Amino acid sequence: MNKTDFYFDLPDELIAQCPLEKRDNSRLMVLNREKNTIEDHSFFEITNYFRPGDLLVMNNTKVLPGRLFGAREDTGGKVEILLLRHLAQKDWEIMVKPGKRARVGARIVFSPELKGEITGTTQGGLRIISFEYTGVFEEIIDEIGLMPVPPYIHETLKDNNRYQTVYAKREGSSAAPTAGLHFTPDLLQKIEAMGVEIAEVTLHVGIGTFRPVKCDVIEEHHMHEEYYEVPEETAKAIKRTRERGGRVIAVGTTSVRTLESNAKLHDGVVTPYTGVTDIFIYPGYEWEVVDALITNFHLPESTLLMLVSAFYNREAVMKAYQTAIDWKYRFFSFGDALFIE
């Protein structure tokens, strides 16, 4: 398939620049694959589409304030980095701007407590940095780091917690699993009270999720590896759900990629596991686990849009996106939601 098959024109005014005051007041488009229908609702009405016995699977990753500004120790040249993936001990994979100031051997000062040396490179021009610090690394990052909100968001985020899900626990992401931003504690309690089970996975969102597709033929695109975990209790919950005839409902494309990666690795059965995934899901993919999907509206020609298209079909999803534009839905990270059942 061609990358241009997933292109659409989006007016700039439909790119959400800030979160709504109430998380679950965003709009919700519902696509029914059997009936081929499109409905317009509010997100808090999503409970109308859940059934007792269903399982909601959420990604509990937490976004690092991993956008750091520093200077070359020798020249004073300004450097900006984004923490992508913890490799080992004090080593991280990072994205750097400008790259020419972060060649192997370069030493960068971020604060009196934090310095680093570029020790290597990885695929796609990324770097490996080895940090030196005094104190607790996480506390230093919390003090000097900024939230890595996407570049299409131009307004300053007033509350960093609004770029976290209310159930975020496992720190390590360089971007939020944005489908989960719509949930509130009250809504989750209501969902559990109606007999829907909730389980968690972890996928630390890195460059693999949002790196643009540069190949004209999408099958030639390669995803960057991202760390994920499926705990034993989640594997058991999926087994119970299958036995009682319930549906596995994934919250976000990261939950989808975690579950499907795991099942592909274990002959179709979700199994407790810790590892990395570079799975790329696009139309023609044979699904193993996920029965329904909650997601946001994604960028044109992105791997996320391709995944959503694989879950229904490209024509139906592109039609839904055009409908969302016509209905003035808000797009991208702080935008509205889509439920495909």
Side-chain angles (χ1 to χ4, degrees):
M1 301 188 73
N2 293 322
K3 179 175 69 171
T4 52
D5 292 334
F6 300 89
Y7 179 79
F8 61 93
D9 284 314
L10 181 69
D12 287 344
E13 62 267 22
L14 296 185
I15 300 175
Q17 291 297 314
C18 57
L20 296 178
E21 184 176 345
K22 293 190 67 176
R23 290 174 183 261
D24 60 359
N25 276 7
S26 53
R27 294 171 71 183
L28 174 69
M29 178 179 286
V30 178
L31 302 185
N32 186 298
R33 292 183 294 185
E34 292 182 359
K35 300 176 182 177
N36 196 28
T37 55
I38 300 177
E39 298 177 5
D40 179 33
H41 296 277
S42 296
F43 190 81
F44 57 79
E45 296 177 291
I46 198 166
T47 52
N48 295 334
Y49 297 91
F50 295 163
R51 309 167 193 158
D54 285 343
L55 175 69
L56 198 63
V57 181
M58 308 175 130
N59 181 7
N60 65 11
T61 189
K62 190 173 184 179
V63 184
L64 279 168
R67 188 179 176 206
L68 306 177
F69 296 87
R72 282 274 300 254
E73 191 173 57
D74 51 358
T75 65
K78 302 300 182 184
V79 179
E80 176 185 343
I81 74 167
L82 176 62
L83 301 179
L84 293 176
R85 186 160 57 114
H86 186 208
L87 299 176
Q89 297 181 325
K90 298 182 178 182
D91 294 346
W92 283 76
E93 185 178 54
I94 61 171
M95 186 186 295
V96 186
K97 292 193 303 185
K100 64 182 180 181
R101 292 182 180 169
R103 296 188 174 94
V104 174
R107 291 182 56 81
I108 303 170
V109 179
F110 299 97
S111 77
E113 295 79 27
L114 182 66
K115 299 179 182 180
E117 180 175 336
I118 304 299
T119 58
T121 60
T122 63
Q123 60 180 344
L126 304 177
R127 306 290 197 274
I128 297 172
I129 190 169
S130 183
F131 284 112
E132 305 164 13
Y133 50 87
T134 304
V136 179
F137 180 75
E138 291 78 8
E139 292 178 357
I140 297 170
I141 298 302
D142 283 340
E143 180 69 26
I144 68 173
L146 297 179
M147 274 295 185
V149 294
Y152 50 76
I153 294 176
H154 307 300
E155 294 189 14
T156 302
L157 185 62
K158 296 177 182 179
D159 178 4
N160 281 350
N161 285 327
R162 292 309 306 273
Y163 196 56
Q164 303 278 20
T165 63
V166 297
Y167 48 83
K169 296 175 184 174
R170 303 286 304 283
E171 199 164 60
S173 274
S174 55
T178 54
L181 296 178
H182 305 283
F183 288 91
T184 66
D186 287 346
L187 182 58
L188 290 172
Q189 287 179 4
K190 184 177 180 181
I191 289 168
E192 284 191 294
M194 63 182 292
V196 175
E197 195 172 356
I198 296 177
E200 297 180 352
V201 295
T202 302
L203 183 140
H204 290 322
V205 186
I207 194 172
T209 295
F210 54 84
R211 169 174 269 171
V213 176
K214 296 182 178 179
C215 312
D216 291 332
V217 179
I218 68 169
E219 289 87 347
E220 297 174 1
H221 178 73
H222 296 286
M223 299 285 284
H224 196 74
E225 287 184 344
E226 293 169 311
Y227 172 91
Y228 79 94
E229 292 181 23
V230 176
E232 183 176 2
E233 55 266 31
T234 297
K236 290 180 177 178
I238 290 172
K239 185 174 184 292
R240 287 195 300 270
T241 302
R242 291 287 182 242
E243 290 172 348
R244 65 179 175 246
R247 299 173 301 170
V248 175
I249 303 171
V251 179
T253 57
T254 57
S255 297
V256 169
R257 294 180 65 241
T258 300
L259 295 174
E260 294 293 325
S261 296
N262 183 283
K264 291 292 184 187
L265 197 62
H266 300 104
D267 298 321
V269 179
V270 176
T271 304
Y273 187 75
T274 297
V276 296
T277 179
D278 61 358
I279 191 171
F280 177 24
I281 297 175
Y282 52 85
Y285 177 81
E286 294 184 6
W287 293 85
E288 301 276 2
V289 184
V290 178
D291 301 307
L293 168 64
I294 302 168
T295 187
N296 276 23
F297 289 90
H298 304 293
L299 276 71
E301 299 182 343
S302 64
T303 60
L304 306 180
L305 177 54
M306 294 169 191
L307 182 153
V308 175
S309 297
F311 193 67
Y312 194 168
N313 63 62
R314 188 193 69 86
E315 294 77 11
V317 169
M318 298 306 289
K319 177 184 176 183
Y321 267 58
Q322 185 57 53
T323 301
I325 292 170
D326 295 341
W327 290 354
K328 306 298 182 185
Y329 267 60
R330 301 164 76 245
F331 276 67
F332 306 162
S333 294
F334 290 136
D336 296 315
L338 173 68
F339 179 48
I340 305 178
E341 61 170 346

